[in-house]
């Protein structure tokens, strides 16, 4: 066994040093985690993406029996381009009780805590297993978790609870919105803009679909929220476009226009109803385009599908986290996580991790030292629970 046991801070510094932006490979980090676990005699399994340049990793620490706890985190981080960082984003820098670095908060802080719990669990002789689950591509649609969860269901003993360590200030978050995204490619017809009536401007027709999103948001804002939706901020489903590409010159009707349409759905609502509305509007706009030039079209494809986390009645994950933290408040969040994907596969799931979500994706992202210490105390109590 490796000695001395590294603390969470040391592990965090190592994890942050790997620039695992979602557009890049995470295999160097996975190599390190695999070697770290192997140093304690723990075998792990990789689940690669189709290109083979990224992998999730899962492991079972302790006995091969039912009733354990999964600690779930993602290994990817968002880009730093265009952000004004005061410190090196891939070096953990402490200032005034804050640990600066890309991913310190979202969510390598929790990953470090999970890995630091491994030697504690082995030394305590846990009677129920601690399972580690680290994914890739969470930041671009929670793409890496589903195949990993499927393998865990097949190869690991069923766990009683999953703790997804997204930033929650170590509070028990029992619900989050679902995330569903489509990519839209408007295929227009180019002409000189002085004759725009004979062309099909992909940008301007795309704007009609974006205006449908605006009108949908206005309708949802005006509606009376359900009791569950009222717990969220905002208390309604939203439709959003964040970036748009298109056109070749200002005096040419745009041949192409591309953008995303993303839904954040409150638990209890069905994406199918919104999808039907969206496709009806797509068909209407496409008919307008094709009335001018039949070869024009709208290409729309699903990008991601992240189910909501439904608050569980008498859920084991929530019961466990409340017991450890003493938190009896009601907490839900509007961001999506992999917790809904675990719940979809019949795991009891909860969100509880160090840090404030307001720091996620920000320049000069940080994690409070006090939050890391609170996470260490949490892991010690969790190990005690598994050792009973």
């Amino acid at each position: 066994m490796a000695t001395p046991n590294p603390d969470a801070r040391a592990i965090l510094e190592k994890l942050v040093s790997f620039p695992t932006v979602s557009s890049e490979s995470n295999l160097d980090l996975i190599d390190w985690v695999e070697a770290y676990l192997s140093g304690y005699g723990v075998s792990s399994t990789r689940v690669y993406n189709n290109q083979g340049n990224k992998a999730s990793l899962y492991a079972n620490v302790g006995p091969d029996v039912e009733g354990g706890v999964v600690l779930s985190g993602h290994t990817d981080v968002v880009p730093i381009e265009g952000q004004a960082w005061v410190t090196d984003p891939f070096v953990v820098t402490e200032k005034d009780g804050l640990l600066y670095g890309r991913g310190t908060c979202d969510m390598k802080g929790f990953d470090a805590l999970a890995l630091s719990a491994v030697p504690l669990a082995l030394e305590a002789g846990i009677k129920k297993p601690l399972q580690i689950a680290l994914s890739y591509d969470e930041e671009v649609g929670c793409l890496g978790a589903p195949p990993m969860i499927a393998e865990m269901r097949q190869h690991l003993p069923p766990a009683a609870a999953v703790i997804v360590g997204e930033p929650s200030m170590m509070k028990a978050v029992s619900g989050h919105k679902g995330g569903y995204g489509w990519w839209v490619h408007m295929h227009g017809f180019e002409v000189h803009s002085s004759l725009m009536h004979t062309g099909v401007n992909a940008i301007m027709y795309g704007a009609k679909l974006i205006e449908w999103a605006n009108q949908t948001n206005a309708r949802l804002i005006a509606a009376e929220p359900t009791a569950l939706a009222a717990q969220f901020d905002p208390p309604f489903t939203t439709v959003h476009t964040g970036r748009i590409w298109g056109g070749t010159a200002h005096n040419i009707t745009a041949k192409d226009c591309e953008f995303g349409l993303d839904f954040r759905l409150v638990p209890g609502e069905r994406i199918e109803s919104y999808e039907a509305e969206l496709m009806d509007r797509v068909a209407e706009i496409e008919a307008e385009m094709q009335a001018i030039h039949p070869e024009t079209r709208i290409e729309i494809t699903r990008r991601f599908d992240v189910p909501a986390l439904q608050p569980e009645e008498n859920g084991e994950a929530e019961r466990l986290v409340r017991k450890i933290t003493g938190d009896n408040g009601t907490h839900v969040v509007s961001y999506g996580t992999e917790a809904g994907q675990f719940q979809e596969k019949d795991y009891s799931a909860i969100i509880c991790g160090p840090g404030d979500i307001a720091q996620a994706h920000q320049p000069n992202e940080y994690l409070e030292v006090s939050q890391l210490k609170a996470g260490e105390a949490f892991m010690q109590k969790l190990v005690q629970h598994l050792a009973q």
Side-chain angles (χ1 to χ4, degrees):
M1 179 175 292
T3 55
N5 293 336
D7 60 16
R9 170 69 178 271
I11 298 173
L12 175 61
E13 291 176 352
K14 189 63 181 181
L15 295 180
V16 169
S17 72
F18 297 105
T20 52
V21 176
S22 302
S23 59
E24 305 298 327
S25 173
N26 73 335
L27 292 183
D28 286 346
L29 182 149
I30 293 297
D31 287 344
W32 185 87
V33 172
E34 186 176 67
Y36 170 86
L37 293 173
S38 179
Y40 292 103
V42 176
S43 62
S44 57
T45 301
R46 300 186 185 199
V47 184
Y48 286 93
N49 66 351
N50 291 335
Q51 294 74 33
N53 66 334
K54 298 180 183 180
S56 298
L57 179 146
Y58 66 87
N60 190 83
V61 182
D64 192 28
V65 298
E66 297 183 8
V69 174
V70 178
L71 298 179
S72 165
H74 61 80
T75 63
D76 59 319
V77 296
V78 297
I80 60 170
E81 282 72 23
Q83 295 187 336
W85 280 79
V86 175
T87 64
D88 185 333
F90 298 111
V91 175
V92 174
T93 304
E94 182 176 351
K95 292 183 179 181
D96 301 323
L98 307 177
L99 300 173
Y100 290 91
R102 174 54 88 219
T104 52
C105 177
D106 184 21
M107 61 179 297
K108 291 180 176 178
F110 181 81
D111 296 346
L113 289 167
L115 293 172
S116 72
V118 170
L120 299 178
L122 294 173
E123 290 167 2
I126 54 175
K127 295 181 173 61
K128 292 183 179 179
L130 181 71
Q131 296 177 354
I132 304 294
L134 301 178
S135 68
Y136 63 86
D137 280 0
E138 189 273 348
E139 296 290 6
V140 290
C142 295
L143 304 180
M148 175 183 66
I149 295 169
E151 283 209 16
M152 291 173 66
R153 266 298 184 201
Q154 183 177 359
H155 299 296
L156 295 186
V162 176
I163 301 171
V164 177
E166 292 282 0
S168 74
M169 297 298 287
M170 298 307 299
K171 301 293 186 182
V173 173
S174 59
H176 68 63
K177 290 185 177 182
Y180 305 87
W182 281 266
W183 190 251
V184 181
H185 186 170
M186 313 289 296
H187 295 269
F189 187 82
E190 287 181 314
V191 298
H192 193 279
S193 61
S194 64
L195 299 172
M196 62 177 290
H197 65 292
T198 65
V200 176
N201 190 318
I203 292 176
M204 296 183 73
Y205 279 93
K208 294 188 176 187
L209 193 55
I210 294 173
E211 178 56 21
W212 170 84
N214 288 329
Q215 294 173 357
T216 299
N217 283 329
R219 185 187 83 226
L220 295 172
I221 290 170
E224 184 73 21
T226 65
L228 179 55
Q231 299 178 34
F232 288 84
D233 181 18
F236 46 82
T237 290
T238 57
V239 195
H240 179 255
T241 293
R243 298 187 70 185
I244 186 168
W245 294 263
T248 54
H250 185 64
N251 61 351
I252 302 174
T253 59
K255 183 176 183 295
D256 295 283
C257 177
E258 297 183 61
F259 53 92
L261 280 175
D262 297 346
F263 290 74
R264 291 192 181 271
L265 213 69
V266 296
E269 293 189 356
R270 291 176 56 82
I271 190 59
E272 288 79 9
S273 62
Y274 292 102
E275 182 176 14
E277 291 182 34
L278 170 62
M279 295 309 172
D280 285 347
R281 187 62 182 126
V282 166
E284 292 171 357
I285 297 171
E286 188 174 63
E288 294 177 24
M289 297 165 63
Q290 292 179 347
I292 301 171
H293 277 282
E295 65 269 33
T296 60
R297 61 192 173 93
I298 302 175
E299 180 183 0
I300 184 165
T301 54
R302 180 74 73 89
R303 284 196 305 158
F304 59 86
D305 185 334
V306 182
L309 175 65
Q310 301 275 354
E312 301 171 1
E313 185 174 354
N314 300 318
E316 175 60 22
E318 182 175 348
R319 185 199 66 77
L320 174 61
V321 169
R322 291 194 186 281
K323 176 183 177 183
I324 292 175
T325 62
D327 173 29
N328 291 315
T330 299
H331 311 286
V332 297
V333 293
S334 292
Y335 60 82
T337 80
E338 296 166 340
Q341 294 173 320
F342 276 98
Q343 189 181 65
E344 188 178 47
K345 295 302 181 182
D346 299 323
Y347 284 94
S348 176
I350 195 79
I351 300 167
C352 184
D356 186 342
I357 191 61
Q359 282 302 311
H361 305 181
Q362 296 298 305
N364 303 307
E365 174 184 353
Y366 65 77
L367 175 67
E368 296 178 14
V369 172
S370 61
Q371 280 288 294
L372 190 65
K373 291 185 179 300
E376 289 178 312
F378 179 97
M379 292 302 168
Q380 290 168 358
K381 292 179 180 179
L382 176 61
V383 167
Q384 292 171 7
H385 165 78
L386 293 174
Q388 294 175 354

